[in-house]
């Protein structure tokens, strides 16, 4: 069963949602039959990477908020992250455009390492204070999860996967996604936001049950006659 997750690397609740979803997967017995696909989304596509500004400042400017209010929002997100076992250092965050990082995720998808790419990018941004719009940083993160650094560098320089990022964003608009994280189960059921793990568990069970019903072989009454088969020949 396919599960698609629209997400942005610079979204604090996307990393939290990832952890809560993973906790739900640990309680789901049929997770080997799931295909999890990460999809790109950009909360601030026009953002110019600003290593000389704090996240509080960038958020205040983008949302038209007082600096104190922006700081409060980041403090609250940090507290929610801690509850999920994550350690955010918002004072270290380098506000960055996520387009290149999203291309790394698509590069990793072709190598079967999409989830690992999401993890190292989230950690780099929210915990380690790394610039996820910096080429060398992205190559280093890719290498950390076993990607070929030279092939990755070429793909990022040439923007090989930029169209895939934009395609995901367009698809989100078509579906009506306005915020992330956004989880789509079997293209029939969706959850918005970093829901409690119990909610994810119920969504997994319900969606998987429906998917199984759709994909089971039909129960046919068969009247036997003369047939030919690969194993027995014609009899």
């Amino acid at each position: 069963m396919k599960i698609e997750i629209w997400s942005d690397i610079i979204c604090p609740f996307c990393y939290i949602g990832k952890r809560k979803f993973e906790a739900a997967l640990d309680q789901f017995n049929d997770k080997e039959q799931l295909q999890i696909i990460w999809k790109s989304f950009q909360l601030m596509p026009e953002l110019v990477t600003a290593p000389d500004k704090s996240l509080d400042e960038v958020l205040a400017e983008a949302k038209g908020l007082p600096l104190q209010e922006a700081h409060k929002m980041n403090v609250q997100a940090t507290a929610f992250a801690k509850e999920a076992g994550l350690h955010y250092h918002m004072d270290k965050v380098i506000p960055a455009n996520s387009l290149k990082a999203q291309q790394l995720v698509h590069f990793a998808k072709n190598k079967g390492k999409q989830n690992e790419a999401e993890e190292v990018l989230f950690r780099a941004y929210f915990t380690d204070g790394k610039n996820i719009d910096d080429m060398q940083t992205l190559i280093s993160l890719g290498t950390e999860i076993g990607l070929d650094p030279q092939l990755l560098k070429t793909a990022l320089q040439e923007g090989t996967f930029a169209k895939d990022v934009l395609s995901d964003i367009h698809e989100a608009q078509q579906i009506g996604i306005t915020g992330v994280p956004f989880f789509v189960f079997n293209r029939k059921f969706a959850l918005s936001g970093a829901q409690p793990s119990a909610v994810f568990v119920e969504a997994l069970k319900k969606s998987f049950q429906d998917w199984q019903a759709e994909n089971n072989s039909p129960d046919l009454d068969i009247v036997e006659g003369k047939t030919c088969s690969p194993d027995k020949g014609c009899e």
Side-chain angles (χ1 to χ4, degrees):
M1 185 183 78
K2 185 183 294 184
I3 300 174
E4 298 156 293
I5 309 171
W6 270 266
S7 168
D8 192 1
I9 305 302
I10 66 171
C11 163
F13 287 101
C14 289
Y15 198 7
I16 296 168
K18 182 176 186 292
R19 276 294 180 275
K20 292 181 179 291
F21 178 65
E22 288 168 342
L25 287 178
D26 288 340
Q27 303 172 54
F28 186 66
N29 294 329
D30 295 295
K31 60 184 176 183
E32 295 80 9
Q33 296 192 58
L34 302 178
Q35 180 188 13
I36 299 169
I37 303 170
W38 288 88
K39 299 271 195 170
S40 299
F41 193 93
Q42 280 200 289
L43 291 170
M44 302 173 70
E46 305 302 324
L47 175 65
V48 177
T49 299
D52 58 333
K53 288 186 177 181
S54 71
L55 185 59
D56 290 348
E57 291 172 324
V58 169
L59 183 61
E61 291 173 6
K63 305 299 182 184
L65 300 171
L67 187 61
Q68 186 176 5
E69 186 64 25
H71 177 72
K72 182 180 178 181
M73 291 173 66
N74 285 326
V75 169
Q76 290 175 335
T78 300
F80 282 122
K82 188 174 182 180
E83 291 176 3
L86 298 169
H87 301 285
Y88 285 4
H89 298 294
M90 296 299 204
D91 57 322
K92 294 170 59 177
V93 168
I94 297 175
N97 188 293
S98 63
L99 180 60
K100 284 195 184 75
Q102 297 282 10
Q103 291 177 61
L104 166 56
V105 174
H106 276 279
F107 180 92
K109 179 182 179 181
N110 284 357
K111 309 299 180 183
K113 292 182 176 289
Q114 198 180 29
N115 192 66
E116 292 89 338
E118 289 281 345
E119 182 66 30
V120 295
L121 285 165
F122 278 133
R123 186 200 69 208
Y125 186 76
F126 286 108
T127 301
D128 299 338
K130 294 182 178 180
N131 184 351
I132 61 164
D133 191 31
D134 174 71
M135 179 74 73
Q136 193 53 52
T137 297
L138 293 175
I139 293 171
S140 177
L141 292 173
T143 302
E144 180 181 333
I145 62 173
L147 301 178
D148 184 290
Q150 190 55 53
L151 291 178
L152 176 57
K153 181 179 180 180
T154 300
L156 292 174
Q157 286 177 332
E158 297 181 358
T160 306
F161 293 95
K163 63 182 183 299
D164 297 279
V165 175
L166 297 178
S167 177
D168 282 353
I169 294 171
H170 177 71
E171 189 177 11
Q173 293 169 344
Q174 297 298 110
I175 293 174
I177 299 172
T178 58
V180 287
F182 196 89
F183 299 77
V184 178
F185 300 79
N186 194 32
R187 280 293 167 121
K188 291 193 172 183
F189 181 74
L191 287 176
S192 177
Q195 298 280 352
S197 294
V199 175
F200 282 121
V201 170
E202 288 304 310
L204 285 166
K205 289 179 178 178
K206 179 182 182 302
S207 300
F208 189 74
Q209 186 178 42
D210 291 345
W211 177 80
Q212 280 186 311
E214 293 169 359
N215 289 277
N216 280 343
S217 298
D219 185 15
L220 301 176
D221 290 327
I222 301 174
V223 178
E224 298 289 351
K226 297 293 184 180
T227 61
C228 297
S229 68
D231 297 331
K232 299 179 179 180
C234 297
E235 57 180 25

